[in-house]
Amino acid sequence: MSTLRVSRVSYSYGAKLALDDVSFDLQPGRFCALLGPNGAGKSTLFSLLTRLFVTNQGTISVAGHDLAREPRAALARIGVVFQQQTIDLDMTVRQNLRYFAALQGLSGRTAARSIDAALERLAMQERAGEKARALNGGHRRRMEIARALIHDPEVLLLDEPTVGLDTASRKAITAHVHDLADTGLTVFWATHLVDEIRDSDDVVVLHKGRVLTHDRASNIAGDGPLIDAFIDMTNGTIEGAA
Amino acid sequence: MSAYLVALWAITLRESLRFLNQRSRFLAALVRPLVWLVVFAAGFRAALGLSIIPPYQTYITYEVYIVPGLCGMIQLFNGMQSSLSLVYDQEMGSMRLLLTSRLPRWWLLLCKLIAGVAVSILQVYVFLAIAAVFGITLPVLGYFYVFPVLILTGLMLGALGLLISSTIKQLENFAGVMNFVIFPMFFLSSALYPLWKMAESSPFLRDVCAFNPFTHAVELIRFAMYQSFNGMAFLWVVVSFAVFMGGSLIGYDPALGMSRRNPGGPQKGG
C-alpha cells in the first residue's frame, strides 16, 4: 500500500498553471527524489502536501488519510523539512525540539523519549544542549530533520534540504536520509541536483508543473548518467513547447 | 495534559521568554506610556478641565484619567507587535511549523493570541506598579477587577493584530499599520479625553470615537478599575473580538484567505 498518493492534482496562481494533473504513488521504505529544474513546481507541490495551500483539483492522501477530508490525521503522519530554515536560533537544540514536540501535542516523558530517539538517529545527542546559533549549516539541517521525526511520521518530506550547504555536509545529510528510508520511512526529497540521487532511488521528474516520468533512477538514466537523461528530458519539453 | 494545553503552554512560554529576552522591547513598552503619563499629562493637566463623570465619584486629576487609556495603549501596541512578529515569522518561515502541526489551525492561532495577551497583561501591571510609585494609584480592588477585563481587551486587540498580519505580507508595509491603525485608534478614542469633551469640538469626531472599538476597550478597563461594569463597552469588545478573530481565521485558512498566496515565507527554486 502506498504511504503517499497524489492523484490528478492541479494548482494555479491566478491564470498561471503551476501544477498540471500531477499523479504518483510513493511506497514505504523508499527514497523518492522529486527532480525538477527551478520553477518546475516543486515548492508548490510541497505546499499542497503540507496543506499550506489547498486545491480542489485532485486528491492527496497520506497513509490512507485524505488530506482535504482528514487534515489532522494526514498531517500527523507527515514530517517536514522546509527549504527555508525554521529554527529559533536563541534556543538550544533540545528546546527547539521540545517546542516542536509541544506543537504536535507531545509532552513530558513521551516527548523526551521521542526527542532522544530523533537526536540519536541523526547522531546529534552531543549537540542537544548547544544554542542553535552555534551550529553550522549542516548541523542545523540535521536538527531540523531530527525535529521532523519526533512525532514518528510515516512520510518525511524534504524541500531542497541541502541548499546552501558545503559539499561534505550535503553528502552527509543525503546519506543520513537514505539511511532513514532503509528503516521503513517513505522519503520524498525535492532537489534539482542529480548527484544526490542513487541508482536504486525512485525519481519523479517534474517540469513546468507536469510529471514527465516516475521510475527507478537507473531505469531513467538508461546506459548513460542520470544528468544527461534529465537534461534531455527537460530540454525536449522546452523545445516541444516552443 | 491534553495535546491542546501542551501546545498552549509551549507557545505562551516561548512568547514570554522572547519578550523578556528582548530588553529593548520591554523597556520601550514601559517607557512609551510612562512618558505620556509623566510628561504629557503634566502639561495637559492645566489645559483640560474634567468634570465628574462615571465611573469617577469625585474630581480626578488628568493623570488619573489617562491611566486606563494608557493601559489600553500598551495592549494596542502589544497586539501590533505580535502582529509584526507574525509577519516576521511568515517571512522567516517559522510560521510554517505552526501551520503544519497536527493540531487545528484555529487553536494554534488562539494560542499565539493568548500568549500575546499574557505578555501584554504583564506589561500593564508593571506599568501600574511604576505609576503607583509616582503616586497615581487605583482603588486596591480595582487592580483585581481589571484583570479579567484586560484578558478580554487583550484578546480583542490581539485578534486585530492577527487579522492585520493575515493581510500584510511584507514587513515593509508595517509602517502603514502604525499610521493607519494605531494612531487613529488611539487618538480617536476616549483614552486621552472624554467623549463629551470631544463633542464640544466636533460632534462628528465624537461619533467616530464612539464607533471605535478601542474607545470601548478603554472604557471597560476604566470602569473595572473602579469596580464598575460597563455593559455596552463589554458588548462592543466581545463583538469586536468575534469579528476580528473570525476575520483572522478566514485570513489564515488555506482554502479561503490571504495565506493562499504566501503561507509562510517566500519560496525559492521549484
Side-chain angles (χ1 to χ4, degrees):
Chain A
M1 183 192 142
S2 60
T3 37
L4 180 66
R5 169 165 290 171
V6 175
S7 179
R8 311 211 64 181
V9 165
S10 297
Y11 189 83
S12 54
Y13 297 98
K16 186 176 176 287
L17 195 61
L19 292 175
D20 183 9
D21 203 22
V22 170
S23 297
F24 56 86
D25 284 354
L26 303 186
Q27 304 303 319
R30 298 289 304 158
F31 182 106
C32 181
L34 176 66
L35 185 62
N38 288 336
K42 301 192 295 292
S43 290
T44 303
L45 179 58
F46 265 69
S47 292
L48 288 170
L49 294 176
T50 50
R51 210 175 167 266
L52 290 171
F53 294 170
V54 293
T55 179
N56 51 15
Q57 290 172 297
T59 56
I60 296 170
S61 64
V62 185
H65 298 280
D66 187 305
L67 192 58
R69 277 181 293 169
E70 307 169 81
R72 292 179 58 196
L75 286 173
R77 285 157 181 85
I78 295 178
V80 197
V81 177
F82 293 107
Q83 188 183 114
Q84 207 179 7
Q85 184 179 288
T86 54
I87 297 175
D88 193 327
L89 296 175
D90 294 319
M91 296 204 291
T92 66
V93 171
R94 187 176 289 280
Q95 284 171 333
N96 265 290
L97 299 190
R98 204 178 291 144
Y99 175 66
F100 179 78
L103 289 186
Q104 297 292 334
L106 302 173
S107 66
R109 278 194 209 141
T110 319
R113 263 200 306 273
S114 304
I115 289 168
D116 285 338
L119 286 171
E120 197 181 327
R121 280 171 101 171
L122 272 296
M124 287 282 290
Q125 305 97 310
E126 288 171 11
R127 302 296 188 111
E130 285 184 33
K131 280 254 166 85
R133 196 180 291 281
L135 302 179
N136 64 29
H139 280 106
R140 285 183 192 177
R141 265 301 183 216
R142 272 202 221 187
M143 189 196 103
E144 288 189 295
I145 297 170
R147 186 178 63 190
L149 297 173
I150 287 175
H151 57 297
D152 204 17
E154 291 176 48
V155 181
L156 179 62
L157 304 175
L158 305 102
D159 188 6
E160 307 211 21
T162 58
V163 165
L165 298 184
D166 58 43
T167 312
S169 300
R170 269 184 58 207
K171 274 193 162 177
I173 298 253
T174 311
H176 267 300
V177 176
H178 274 91
D179 292 345
L180 290 174
D182 291 340
T183 64
L185 198 65
T186 301
V187 173
F188 195 42
W189 171 288
T191 185
H192 60 272
L193 303 167
V194 288
D195 63 346
E196 293 175 349
I197 302 169
R198 296 177 180 171
D199 285 348
S200 55
D201 293 339
D202 294 329
V203 179
V204 171
V205 178
L206 190 70
H207 184 53
K208 291 191 166 183
R210 301 194 69 136
V211 173
L212 299 186
T213 184
H214 178 197
D215 203 344
R216 194 65 60 96
S218 54
N219 293 342
I220 295 173
D223 296 331
L226 180 62
I227 180 91
D228 288 351
F230 176 53
I231 289 172
D232 280 351
M233 224 180 267
T234 49
N235 279 345
T237 309
I238 290 163
E239 282 160 19
Chain B
M1 201 169 13
S2 90
Y4 287 74
L5 293 179
V6 169
L8 173 62
W9 173 244
I11 292 172
T12 308
L13 194 66
R14 182 167 182 248
E15 294 296 318
S16 305
L17 289 176
R18 243 173 147 182
F19 176 71
L20 292 173
N21 285 335
Q22 295 169 344
R23 298 224 175 97
S24 57
R25 185 180 152 197
F26 193 35
L27 270 178
L30 281 176
V31 167
R32 199 181 299 118
L34 284 171
V35 166
W36 281 90
L37 186 66
V38 177
V39 182
F40 179 85
F44 245 60
R45 184 180 357 185
L48 199 73
L50 293 175
S51 62
I52 300 172
I53 49 166
Y56 305 108
Q57 308 284 329
T58 176
Y59 282 108
I60 48 155
T61 62
Y62 185 59
E63 285 95 329
V64 170
Y65 177 80
I66 67 168
V67 164
L70 296 179
C71 292
M73 181 173 99
I74 291 172
Q75 292 197 303
L76 178 65
F77 269 89
N78 193 74
M80 294 308 130
Q81 182 81 40
S82 305
S83 169
L84 179 68
S85 80
L86 279 167
V87 175
Y88 179 80
D89 279 355
Q90 285 177 47
E91 285 217 331
M92 293 300 121
S94 49
M95 192 67 180
R96 285 160 181 265
L97 270 195
L98 205 67
L99 298 182
T100 54
S101 160
R102 71 169 93 178
L103 293 175
R105 198 167 280 193
W106 66 264
W107 174 251
L108 294 163
L109 290 172
L110 192 62
C111 286
K112 270 270 189 194
L113 192 59
I114 292 170
V117 172
V119 168
S120 79
I121 290 179
L122 180 73
Q123 290 173 50
V124 167
Y125 275 100
V126 173
F127 165 72
L128 288 175
I130 297 174
V133 171
F134 282 96
I136 303 157
T137 55
L138 310 175
V140 177
L141 279 178
Y143 290 101
F144 296 96
Y145 273 66
V146 81
F147 181 74
V149 164
L150 288 173
I151 294 177
L152 190 61
T153 52
L155 282 173
M156 182 196 93
L157 295 168
L160 176 64
L162 204 58
L163 178 62
I164 291 169
S165 76
S166 73
T167 60
I168 291 180
K169 291 299 152 209
Q170 285 175 324
L171 282 176
E172 290 79 11
N173 299 342
F174 220 82
V177 172
M178 294 291 288
N179 285 329
F180 293 105
V181 178
I182 292 188
F183 293 132
M185 269 193 110
F186 183 60
F187 289 114
L188 288 170
S189 76
S190 60
L192 298 178
Y193 15 74
L195 293 189
W196 65 265
K197 200 85 185 164
M198 185 63 113
E200 282 180 0
S201 315
S202 161
F204 172 71
L205 281 181
R206 185 232 165 259
D207 291 344
V208 174
C209 293
F211 196 70
N212 178 359
F214 185 69
T215 295
H216 299 284
V218 170
E219 290 310 304
L220 196 59
I221 293 171
R222 189 187 311 284
F223 274 70
M225 283 177 166
Y226 294 87
Q227 298 138 63
S228 306
F229 177 70
N230 186 329
M232 182 54 80
F234 175 78
L235 201 64
W236 262 90
V237 171
V238 169
V239 170
S240 303
F241 168 62
V243 170
F244 296 152
M245 193 65 200
S248 311
L249 292 177
I250 292 171
Y252 277 99
D253 188 310
L256 303 171
M258 299 295 289
S259 63
R260 189 171 189 269
R261 267 187 264 146
N262 186 355
Q267 286 284 311
K268 289 169 281 183

